[in-house]
Amino acid sequence: MAPSTSRTPLFRLSNAMYFLSNYALMRRIASPPVLRRLFSESGSGSRLIRPVTGDDIPRPSDPIKLVAPSTATSFIRYSAGYLERGFDRSDIFVHPDFISDEEHALLAKCCERKLKRLASTYEMGHFDKRIHNYRECSVSAWLPQKRAVAGRVAEAMGRAIDPDPIDLPDRAASGKSGGWTTVGKYDGQVRHILDRVWEMFPSSFAWLPPHILDLHEDGEILPHVDNPDYSGFTVGGLSLLGSAVSTFKHVDDPSISVDVLLAPKSLYFMTNRIRYQFTHEITVDPEQRQWQGKLVQRARRISLMFRDAKVPKSGWKSLAS
C-alpha cells in the first residue's frame, strides 16, 4: 500500500505499552480505538492509480533478480495462467523466517512505539478508498543517509556523506543496545536488521524511508496498483504479528494471478512486471484466505515496508538544486 497523504493528528502518549515476545500474548493486546473517518477521492496528488493496460504500463529497463530460498515454495501459489503465459516466478520473492524470534519481537515493539506517537488511531478509510481499518507512518530515522536519495545525489556530485552517528558502533555499549548506539532508543538495532534487506539490492538504489502499515484484524486492502510517479520497481515488507494472504492479479486478465502467504518473520518483495502490471490486495474474503486446505485466520498484522525511489529522468544530480 502506498504511503498515505492524509493528515493524522499527533498524540503525546505516556506509559507506552510494550509488546511481549510471545506471539499469542501480543495478539491479545487490545487494539487502539478506531477513528471513524471517511476520506473523499483525491485529485492529481493520489499515490494510487486505476489499473492501466497495454503500452501505458511502466516496465523496468533493468530487471531485478532476487533468489528465494527453497523453503519459499510452500508460501507462493501461482495460477496456471501465470505459468502458461511465461511470467517470471522471481518477480515475487518470499523469504520465510528472514528474521529471528528476538528480532521479530524487537521490530514489533519499535513499530508499536512509532505508531503510538505518530498514528495512535485506526482510520476507517483511506482517501483513495482502497484500504480500511489501518494506521501508518514513515520512519526516516531508520534509513541511513548513504542508502537514501541524499546519498545518490552526493555520489552523483562526487561528494561523500558523513556516517550517521546512529550507524557507528556504540563505544559504551550496553547490554540493551547490543553494541549499537541508542540515539533514538533501539534505532541502531533496527537499522542493523534492516540493512540485511537493503544489502540484497545494488548499492546504486536509493530508498524511501521505511513505512509502517498496521492493518487491524478487521482491516482489508482492496485491489489496487500503486502510482509509478511515487516510487520505483521494488516494494516489499517484513511481516510482523499475524499472517495474511496477499493476492496479485494481472490488470488485463485476473485469472493470471499469484497468492502469497505472508507469515510472521517473513520478507517479501514484488518487482519488475508484477509491480505495475498486477493489482495487489489483502482481503477479508474467506475463500481467498485458504492455504493448503486451511483457513488463515484474520489477525492484526504489521508490515514494515521498503520502497526504492524513482530515478529522475535527468539523473540524481538534477536534484542537487
Side-chain angles (χ1 to χ4, degrees):
M1 188 68 196
S4 168
T5 55
S6 62
R7 296 292 184 263
T8 303
L10 299 180
F11 292 84
R12 296 184 180 274
L13 300 179
S14 60
N15 301 322
M17 179 174 61
Y18 290 84
F19 272 106
L20 300 176
S21 59
N22 183 286
Y23 300 151
L25 289 176
M26 280 195 289
R27 291 170 188 166
R28 287 202 291 266
I29 294 177
S31 297
V34 173
L35 181 62
R36 300 190 175 279
R37 179 186 301 163
L38 297 178
F39 293 92
S40 60
E41 286 287 344
S42 68
S44 59
S46 174
R47 291 183 182 267
L48 305 179
I49 60 172
R50 295 183 182 280
V52 295
T53 59
D55 294 336
D56 293 330
I57 298 177
R59 290 172 170 80
S61 57
D62 188 14
I64 301 157
K65 294 294 183 182
L66 296 175
V67 179
S70 58
T71 52
T73 55
S74 59
F75 290 79
I76 308 177
R77 185 170 59 207
Y78 304 96
S79 72
Y82 187 95
L83 300 176
E84 292 168 358
R85 292 284 295 274
F87 285 92
D88 195 333
R89 294 189 184 208
S90 67
D91 285 358
I92 285 285
F93 168 89
V94 179
H95 192 312
D97 295 319
F98 184 81
I99 55 177
S100 67
D101 290 343
E102 293 76 15
E103 290 170 331
H104 175 280
L106 174 66
L107 290 177
K109 176 172 62 177
C110 292
C111 287
E112 180 72 9
R113 284 181 167 185
K114 299 295 184 182
L115 287 165
K116 280 181 174 293
R117 186 167 63 87
L118 300 173
S120 62
T121 53
Y122 286 97
E123 303 282 1
M124 281 300 294
H126 190 272
F127 71 91
D128 286 296
K129 299 182 180 178
R130 295 288 86 190
I131 181 171
H132 307 290
N133 238 340
Y134 75 102
R135 53 180 181 160
E136 61 183 353
C137 66
S138 293
V139 189
S140 57
W142 291 351
L143 178 66
Q145 292 187 54
K146 63 184 179 182
R147 299 195 184 278
V149 171
R152 301 291 74 76
V153 173
E155 189 177 74
M157 298 179 66
R159 299 179 180 176
I161 285 188
D162 293 333
D164 293 332
I166 198 171
D167 291 326
L168 301 176
D170 188 351
R171 294 181 180 179
S174 66
K176 292 184 178 180
S177 71
W180 288 80
T181 178
T182 54
V183 175
K185 195 169 186 180
Y186 303 113
D187 285 351
Q189 293 180 69
V190 170
R191 279 196 183 183
H192 191 40
I193 298 171
L194 303 192
D195 256 336
R196 301 210 310 268
V197 177
W198 292 315
E199 286 172 357
M200 296 167 54
F201 296 86
S203 59
S204 59
F205 271 41
W207 294 93
L208 300 175
H211 187 78
I212 302 172
L213 176 60
D214 180 356
L215 193 63
H216 190 276
E217 176 182 344
D218 297 322
E220 66 177 332
I221 301 174
L222 301 177
H224 69 279
V225 177
D226 294 340
N227 192 328
D229 291 338
Y230 286 89
S231 60
F233 280 94
T234 303
V235 65
L238 277 169
S239 299
L240 309 174
L241 304 184
S243 297
V245 176
S246 185
T247 299
F248 304 81
K249 296 181 180 179
H250 196 279
V251 296
D252 291 330
D253 184 353
S255 69
I256 301 173
S257 64
V258 185
D259 294 315
V260 179
L261 177 61
L262 303 177
K265 302 188 295 181
S266 66
L267 173 70
Y268 77 93
F269 272 99
M270 58 175 178
T271 61
N272 303 326
R273 297 176 73 179
I274 280 188
R275 181 70 174 101
Y276 297 115
Q277 295 183 36
F278 285 66
T279 62
H280 54 279
E281 62 184 293
I282 293 179
T283 180
V284 296
D285 183 355
E287 291 187 7
Q288 284 186 239
R289 291 188 289 109
Q290 297 287 332
W291 200 266
Q292 297 181 348
K294 297 181 179 179
L295 178 66
V296 177
Q297 296 296 327
R298 288 161 59 175
R300 178 192 173 200
R301 69 181 300 271
I302 290 177
S303 183
L304 181 53
M305 304 188 69
F306 307 89
R307 294 181 182 83
D308 66 320
K310 184 177 181 179
V311 181
K313 292 182 179 179
S314 302
W316 294 116
K317 195 173 182 178
S318 64
L319 300 181
S321 59

